[in-house]
Structure formats: C-alpha cells, structure tokens
Amino acid sequence: MKIRTKIALQFTLIVATILVIFSVSLYYLLESYTRKEFNNYLVDRAKTTAQLLIKEKNIDNKLLKIFDRNTLSTLYAADVLVFNDNNEVAYSNYEADTIYYNPQLLEKVRKEKFYESTYKDKEVVGLMYKNEESQNYLILAQSEDVYGKQKLENIRDAMTIGLLSAILLTIVFGFIFSGQSLKPISRINQEVSKITAYNLTKKLSTSNNKDEIAQLARNFNEMLSRIERSFELQKSFVSNASHELRTPLAAIKSEIQVALEKERNSTEYQNILKTLYIDNQRLIQLTNGLLQLAKSEKGDESVQLSPIRIDEVLFEVQDELMHQHTNYQIAIDFEEIPEDDNWVTVLGNKPLLKTVFNNLFDNACKYSEDKLATVNIRFNRRNCIVMVSDKGIGIPNDELDKVFEPFYRTKNASSFKGHGIGLSICKRIIDMHKGRIVVKSEVGEGSTFNIILPHI
Ligand code: ADP
C-alpha cells in the first residue's frame, strides 16, 4: 500500500473514531435528558391530578376525568392511577386499566417513595402524595413520549448524515493533504532515480526550508559528494598504484633485456642478479604497503583493540628498526615520568601502532642527514602524545596537508627512495584509534610529527 493511501486511511480512521464516539455519546446524553424531562412532566402531571382529586372536594372522579380528557391531556395523553392506603384504586383517569402493576411494584413505590421505569414504549413513574389529613396516596402515571421520540429520531438521522458526510470529507481531505505533504518525497524519488554511478555530480534540488525533507535532500547530497570523492580517490589510487608497480617492473624488464643481449661472465651475472634482487625488494615493499593500506581501509569494526603501553611499542620499533638499519639513531625520552601507567596506555592494536611508528621513525631517519629521530612522550588528562622530530629536509608549507594522501611525495624528496604510502597508512590507523596526527615542518630545518592518542 502506498504511504499516501496509508496516511489518508489512518487519518480517516482516527477522525471517524473520534466523530463516532462524540456522536454516540451526544445522542445517549440527549436521550437521557429527554427521558428525564418527560419523567418530570409525568411527575407534575401525576401530582396535578392527585391534587385536584384529593384537595378539591367539589371535583369528583367523574368531573376530573372529563377535565383530564379535555384539558390536561391535550399535550400528552397520560394514564394516571391513584391508590389509597389499602392499595385500592381511588382514581383512574381512564376506563381501561392500561397501567401494568402488581402488589410488589406498589410495595416498592411505597418503600422508595419514587419509581421510574420503561414499560413497552411507555415511561412509568410512581410517587407518594400526602394530603392535608396526612392520608397517603400512591400515584402511578404512564405515557409515551411521542414528541421526544420523534425529536430523537430526527436528531439521530441528522447525526448519521452529518457523520457520513464528515467521514467522506475526511477521506477526500486526507488524500489531498497526504499527497501535498508527500509531494517533495515524490520529487526526491524521481530525482534520485536519475542518479547513477556515472553522474554522481548531479545533486538533488534543495530548498531553503528547514523541514525534515529538505534536511534529507541536503544529507543525501552530502553523501553523494562523499561517494564522489571516494570514487575519485579510488580512481587516482588505482592509477597511482599501477604507475608505482610499473616502474620497478619496467626496470626489471630492461635489466633482463640488457643482460640477454650478449654472453656475460659470472661476475656480471651476479651483479645483474643483485640489481634484480634490489628491484624485487622494492616491489615486495610496495605490495606490502598496498596490502597494509587495503587492510587499514577495511573499517574500524574488524580491528581488535586492547590496552597497550605506548612506550613499549616505541621501544620495540626502535629495536627492530635499528637492527635493520645500523646507521639509524632513534632516541626515545619521556618529557616527565608518568605516575600512572594508564597515562601512557591506549586502547589500540599493537601491530597497527607498530606500523605507524615504524613509518614515522623510518621517515625521520631517511629524510635527515644525521639519520637521527628524536622521540618525546608527553601526556595530559585525556591524551598521550608522541612527538617524532628530525632535522631533515623538511616539508614545504603548501605540501603539508598532501603528505597524508596516498602516493603523494614532496618535490624535495624525489631523490629519496619511497612510494608515498606510509603516511596515508599512518593517518588511517590513527583515525581508527580515534586519535590525530599533526605535522609541523620547515624546509631545511626539519619536521615534527605529533601523534595524539586518547589514553585509558
Ligand atoms: P615515502 O616516505 O615512502 O615517500 P610517506 O607516505 O611515508 O612515503 O611520506 C610521504 C611524503 O611525505 C614523503 O615522500 C616525503 O615527501 C614526505 N615526508 C614524510 N616524512 C618526512 C620527513 N620526516 N621529512 C621530510 N619529508 C617527509
């Protein structure tokens, strides 16, 4: 079922229920008032008859009946029965005994002093009347409220017609209003169906409204921009990756071609194999880097985090790196000794954090003449901060943001080996740990990378 129909039907159902409850209650209230009013009339009527019969000595039964039939009953014909103390009929304004009564009923009236009920279509009231000589009379009066019933019937008909018309109008207006309010959604629906992977630049038209639908369109446009950016990144990533892979592969190919041109002695073959080995190493490094980048892109959920002491990670990386590169120097120091182990403990993934510091220490040594990386550990109430500094070539100001993009290498670093993947992996891993990586650098002076990680 379409949302429009659903809303219209729900709306109608709610309004119809309210109207039915209201009309039924109103009708029953009116009915009860009408009955009460009529019963009051019957009581008056009974009292008048009793008064005339009992008080006025010169009015006898016969005269009262004539009087009754000709005057009192012009408005409503009411049957009145008056009983004496012995439950004998003292007066009846009709010849025929039309009021149904029995001794139990009379007993009840005498006991409760008042009685009202409905017998067949007629209203019956019973009451006690006392004359000046303290004689008790019991009066029963009965009549049919023909006018009241007619009035209620008319009201019921009018209410039914009104109710049906109101429900019909609610359905019509429900459809119009739901269509009106869902119009922007239909428009968005049409526009969205025109957006494909090839025209992500196309955006939904947004109004200046602040309503939920305008907000939805704006959010959708922002999501499209993000998807577009990641598509672009992916495209440039693939072309950069293939370019990086092609360079060592082309070098290997030309080295083999040159080697095959003529017969060579074993020393020459050994030298060629050494060069091929180095190129092969570069390829392995590059593919490892790409693999790590792909892993770090997988998403935060797949990474297992546990409490890790940052200083331990740093010392392990220092050890491994200085073992691999004997000319590297890595000096690690605390700015102040932590009183609490938690200040230097972060919720992290050890292999990933080791990758980060391995890249940063390696860069600091690689891009500086003295091959020295100075590492300082600092902390505050929320974060543990690791500062990796060098006195190397530095990064030009306008390229500071770009060094974290995959495959980006600064112009002044072209003479150094590298693929420009390391820092993008670092950034991704630090993001995953809900931390930040910031770089400050001055060309010719050196660089400092600050890694800010929330401690536990
Ligand atoms: P790679 O070092 O393999 O080229 P990275 O992603 O680690 O790749 O670094 C990206 C670029 O950032 C480097 O090519 C270099 O231009 C610059 N860079 C990174 N670290 C430093 C540093 N400590 N000093 C100067 N330049 C650096």
Side-chain angles (χ1 to χ4, degrees), residues 89-107:
V89 177
Y91 169 76
S92 136
N93 67 348
Y94 283 87
E95 299 300 340
D97 198 359
T98 50
I99 302 183
Y100 173 78
Y101 68 91
N102 53 27
Q104 284 86 357
L105 176 79
L106 299 182
E107 229 13 76

Side-chain angles (χ1 to χ4, degrees), residues 311-344:
D311 50 342
E312 274 177 23
V313 175
L314 299 179
F315 286 119
E316 273 182 40
V317 175
Q318 176 196 43
D319 204 40
E320 284 168 16
L321 211 58
M322 283 173 68
H323 223 76
Q324 282 168 23
H325 304 269
T326 42
N327 57 337
Y328 280 10
Q329 287 184 72
I330 302 161
I332 302 176
D333 206 2
F334 275 101
E335 274 199 358
E336 56 177 307
I337 303 296
E339 285 170 27
D340 188 341
D341 277 358
N342 285 349
W343 295 350
V344 282

Side-chain angles (χ1 to χ4, degrees), residues 363 366-367 390 394-395 403 408-410 413 418-423 447:
N363 280 352
K366 184 167 77 176
Y367 294 111
D390 64 68
I395 301 167
V403 289
Y408 192 84
R409 306 204 70 215
T410 57
H419 302 290
I421 302 177
L423 284 184
S447 316

Side-chain angles (χ1 to χ4, degrees), residues 63-310:
L63 190 65
L64 185 61
K65 269 183 197 170
I66 297 165
F67 195 62
D68 241 2
R69 277 185 210 152
N70 294 305
T71 56
L72 294 172
S73 41
T74 46
L75 191 58
Y76 292 104
D79 308 336
V80 180
L81 272 177
V82 180
F83 296 87
N84 60 19
D85 272 345
N86 303 324
N87 282 353
E88 288 158 352
V89 177
Y91 169 76
S92 136
N93 67 348
Y94 283 87
E95 299 300 340
D97 198 359
T98 50
I99 302 183
Y100 173 78
Y101 68 91
N102 53 27
Q104 284 86 357
L105 176 79
L106 299 182
E107 229 13 76
K108 199 172 171 174
V109 181
R110 283 188 195 284
K111 220 166 116 193
E112 289 168 18
K113 307 282 186 246
F114 187 75
Y115 166 84
E116 59 184 348
S117 141
T118 306
Y119 181 68
K120 291 190 176 154
D121 284 338
K122 297 181 173 176
E123 301 300 318
V124 184
V125 295
L127 59 130
M128 296 302 295
Y129 184 84
K130 205 181 232 179
N131 70 358
E132 277 141 13
E133 287 98 44
S134 293
Q135 272 182 301
N136 279 322
Y137 288 93
L138 187 155
I139 312 163
L140 282 183
Q142 169 184 283
S143 179
E144 188 181 354
D145 187 7
V146 184
Y147 296 110
K149 277 184 185 157
Q150 188 59 48
K151 200 168 72 184
L152 280 174
E153 222 165 85
N154 291 344
I155 289 174
R156 199 175 49 213
D157 290 349
M159 271 185 169
T160 313
I161 293 169
L163 192 69
L164 290 178
S165 327
I167 292 174
L168 210 73
L169 278 176
T170 316
I171 296 176
V172 174
F173 284 121
F175 262 98
I176 294 173
F177 281 125
S178 59
Q180 208 75 20
S181 22
L182 292 173
K183 220 178 191 169
I185 294 190
S186 312
R187 179 180 52 77
I188 288 181
N189 222 351
Q190 276 176 1
E191 288 183 14
V192 168
S193 64
K194 287 180 193 140
I195 297 172
T196 65
Y198 302 102
N199 62 354
L200 288 172
T201 39
K202 213 176 166 115
K203 295 282 168 336
L204 301 181
S205 45
T206 49
S207 55
N208 287 331
N209 288 353
K210 287 200 165 64
D211 61 22
E212 287 83 350
I213 291 168
Q215 188 64 41
L216 175 78
R218 274 194 288 275
N219 285 345
F220 190 82
N221 282 346
E222 277 168 27
M223 187 188 77
L224 276 182
S225 306
R226 284 199 296 273
I227 293 177
E228 194 188 344
R229 261 200 308 279
S230 89
F231 261 49
E232 289 300 319
L233 258 167
Q234 224 154 12
K235 265 195 241 164
S236 72
F237 181 84
V238 172
S239 73
N240 282 328
S242 34
H243 178 261
E244 286 295 322
L245 284 167
R246 215 174 44 198
T247 319
L249 283 173
I252 291 172
K253 187 185 162 196
S254 62
E255 276 152 21
I256 295 171
Q257 267 176 344
V258 172
L260 288 174
E261 268 171 13
K262 58 176 181 170
E263 194 79 19
R264 291 169 194 279
N265 61 32
S266 64
T267 338
E268 278 177 322
Y269 279 127
Q270 260 188 0
N271 285 340
I272 290 165
L273 280 176
K274 268 183 201 158
T275 341
L276 284 178
Y277 177 78
I278 293 167
D279 282 335
N280 187 267
Q281 276 297 105
R282 273 178 66 196
L283 262 179
I284 291 173
Q285 262 178 14
L286 179 62
T287 42
N288 280 344
L290 288 175
L291 204 68
Q292 272 186 329
L293 196 62
K295 270 189 194 161
S296 66
E297 293 288 339
K298 251 187 183 173
D300 305 355
E301 296 80 25
S302 56
V303 181
Q304 299 239 321
L305 304 178
S306 55
I308 290 156
R309 271 194 73 124
I310 275 291

Side-chain angles (χ1 to χ4, degrees), residues 428-441:
R428 184 71 195 102
I429 295 174
I430 297 298
D431 283 349
M432 221 183 258
H433 285 77
K434 312 229 171 346
R436 278 184 301 135
I437 179 164
V438 196
V439 57
K440 282 184 205 137
S441 189

